[in-house]
Amino acid sequence: MTNKRNQYTREFKLEAISLVVEHKRKIPDGADSLGIGKSTLRGLSHTLTSQLKTLDNKKPHKHCVYGV
């Protein structure tokens, strides 16, 4: 027997993360209201956090001058 993983749209993922980040809902409450597992919502949240940190590290430094 094979377990099929749910595939969520980008919009759903962003809305799910928005519940936790912008609306200050706790992960268990947000997961229950969306009908997904707590670990799923926690994973989405951690993924976004790590992606944001990666993007932040790729920003050019203020003291660097490019194209000169």
Side-chain angles (χ1 to χ4, degrees), residues 8-44:
Y8 301 107
T9 64
R10 183 173 192 265
E11 291 79 17
F12 180 83
K13 292 175 185 179
L14 291 173
E15 183 175 331
I17 294 167
S18 155
L19 279 176
V20 176
V21 176
E22 293 176 14
H23 299 290
K24 308 287 188 206
R25 298 211 29 204
K26 295 182 188 263
I27 287 179
D29 296 336
D32 288 342
S33 71
L34 292 168
I36 62 175
K38 293 177 275 247
S39 61
T40 300
L41 184 54
R42 190 173 297 111
L44 291 173

